[in-house]
Amino acid sequence: MRKKIILITGANGEIGHGLINSLHAKGMDNILALDLHPISKVIEDKIIEGVIGNILDKNLLEQISSDYEVSAIYHLAALLSTRAEFSPQMAHEVNVTGTFNLFSLAVEQAKSQGETVKFFFPSSIAVYGMGQEKDVAGAISESEYCHPQTMYGCNKLYCENLGIYYANYYHRLADDFKPGHVDFRAIRFPGIISTITVPSGGTSDFLPEMIHAAAQGEQYDCFVRNDTRMPFMVMPDAILAILSLMDADKSQLSQHVYNIVAFNPSAGEFADKVKEYFPHAKIGTSINGKRQGMVDSWPADVDDSAARSHWNWSPEFDLDSAFENYLIPQITQRYEK
Ligand code: AKB
């Protein structure tokens, strides 16, 4: 008998750590963690197997599919926006072909088990592409401004649509056509701030980098203007959102893709908050015009009313409580001499 598992790709990444800890705390002890690098020690005891491998390796995925029954997939592996602009070819391979491989695994598993396979996909506000209207558009909904201006954004938007296709129309011309092999659920994440991991390769990295530098007493020159505004949240809320969406009753979900947000300070406002706690913080500005352009194409705020009404999404932390009860306690402890 094949053991039933939850498959998590990109398990060593920012979200991977928090998700594995939370799923394990909920009693899910059947996690197979897949990553390019050896699974880190801090989560090793919370998984049944750590597989070092590449989502582009079809043989490896086939091996996993023949060894296990996969009940759910959390597909976190991806190249983030800045990294993707430097290697667009590789980004397309990893972000699109890699995701396509995981959808193929999900359908194959659903057919062999005769059961639906749940599929979580972390999309991003990078699917949006805006110009001047950013300053007047306010909080945008999921159907507006979906004109991405980055490779990463294009990848995420295409994979959202691919997920919707696999959930509803896959093999629609086949005699045995049956919708619902894959229960596809996606969140368009804003920027995420974690105390445990410092992000790499993203373009929303300026706020996490700023507070991690301040906590270490290091100079930080922000690569975007002070008035730059975009949606953010802290990692515990990102994990909470994934767990809440995946636990939601399917009948509640009349869409597959959701905006979520917790707060959206400008870079300058966030720097002021940092200085409240680290009065000696050395925060300057050294604008990178090209990365500034990417953030300027992302919305200042998003409308997450659908997530709130369909699956009771509500962040635990606003900007003030994020600092007071999560960022400062944990980050000072992390860098305590
Ligand atoms: C990035 O900056 O690439 C990501 C994102 C906003 O999706 N953090």
Side-chain angles (χ1 to χ4, degrees):
M1 278 299 290
R2 296 182 298 170
K3 192 170 174 26
K4 238 187 196 342
I5 60 156
I6 291 170
L7 171 59
I8 300 185
T9 72
N12 262 333
E14 263 198 293
I15 300 178
H17 280 227
L19 181 61
I20 289 172
N21 285 327
S22 300
L23 287 173
H24 187 262
K26 282 175 52 137
M28 310 255 196
D29 57 5
N30 58 337
I31 297 169
L32 187 148
L34 173 61
D35 197 279
L36 279 176
H37 308 290
I39 300 300
S40 76
K41 295 254 166 292
V42 289
I43 51 174
E44 217 171 41
D45 61 338
K46 301 193 175 66
I47 59 176
I48 60 162
E49 188 179 351
V51 175
I52 306 170
N54 190 322
I55 58 175
L56 297 174
D57 180 347
K58 287 196 183 143
N59 296 335
L60 171 69
L61 295 178
E62 231 161 82
Q63 188 63 50
I64 291 172
S65 197
S66 64
D67 292 349
Y68 294 102
E69 277 196 5
V70 180
S71 59
I73 297 173
Y74 295 76
H75 176 40
L76 310 178
L79 260 65
L80 298 184
S81 56
T82 288
R83 183 108 180 271
E85 283 312 308
F86 285 116
S87 10
Q89 176 71 32
M90 178 147 78
H92 182 86
E93 281 305 303
V94 173
N95 294 345
V96 174
T97 310
T99 303
F100 177 82
N101 293 344
L102 269 299
F103 282 133
S104 307
L105 185 151
V107 161
E108 188 195 307
Q109 280 279 334
K111 285 187 167 180
S112 73
Q113 296 174 44
E115 282 176 29
T116 296
V117 171
K118 268 189 182 175
F119 195 110
F120 176 75
F121 181 69
S123 187
S124 165
I125 54 162
V127 302
Y128 299 116
M130 308 179 78
Q132 296 309 324
E133 68 271 346
K134 168 171 178 162
D135 306 331
V136 292
I140 65 170
S141 70
E142 287 90 347
S143 58
E144 298 176 279
Y145 304 104
C146 292
H147 317 296
Q149 299 173 14
T150 62
M151 170 54 87
Y152 172 74
C154 295
N155 299 160
K156 289 293 188 183
L157 187 60
Y158 173 67
C159 289
E160 286 180 7
N161 289 318
L162 207 51
I164 294 168
Y165 166 76
Y166 272 90
N168 302 292
Y169 314 111
Y170 174 75
H171 245 192
R172 61 189 301 162
L173 294 181
D175 296 343
D176 66 349
F177 167 65
K178 185 165 85 56
H181 286 305
V182 176
D183 175 350
F184 178 71
R185 304 181 185 199
I187 290 174
R188 289 178 179 166
F189 282 111
I192 300 175
I193 310 169
S194 167
T195 56
I196 298 169
T197 47
V198 182
S200 62
T203 318
S204 63
D205 299 0
F206 55 95
L207 292 193
E209 289 171 352
M210 189 188 288
I211 191 163
H212 278 267
Q216 297 170 85
E218 289 168 2
Q219 172 75 32
Y220 181 70
D221 294 323
C222 188
F223 61 78
V224 294
R225 295 184 316 273
N226 270 347
D227 65 357
T228 302
R229 191 178 296 281
M230 61 171 281
F232 274 94
M233 67 179 22
V234 288
M235 187 58 79
D237 274 330
I239 305 300
L240 171 69
I242 298 172
L243 299 177
S244 311
L245 176 57
M246 291 295 267
D247 283 350
D249 193 297
K250 190 150 180 1
S251 62
Q252 306 293 108
L253 308 178
S254 53
Q255 60 194 66
H256 294 272
V257 180
Y258 291 92
N259 281 339
I260 59 170
V261 61
F263 44 80
N264 67 333
S266 69
E269 288 159 0
F270 191 85
D272 294 344
K273 283 294 294 179
V274 169
K275 286 176 191 157
E276 274 177 35
Y277 294 89
F278 301 103
H280 308 298
K282 301 180 287 284
I283 303 173
T285 306
S286 166
I287 294 171
N288 174 318
K290 293 185 175 135
R291 295 177 86 187
Q292 178 77 61
M294 290 166 71
V295 180
D296 286 346
S297 74
W298 296 346
D301 199 1
V302 293
D303 169 357
D304 60 3
S305 53
R308 288 171 185 270
S309 61
H310 295 185
W311 45 280
N312 304 319
W313 156 247
S314 172
E316 273 178 29
F317 298 93
D318 60 19
L319 186 62
D320 293 340
S321 60
F323 268 81
E324 194 62 25
N325 308 329
Y326 169 66
L327 292 171
I328 299 305
Q330 293 208 10
I331 219 162
T332 36
Q333 191 192 4
R334 173 181 171 159
Y335 293 116
E336 224 148 41
K337 296 279 178 289

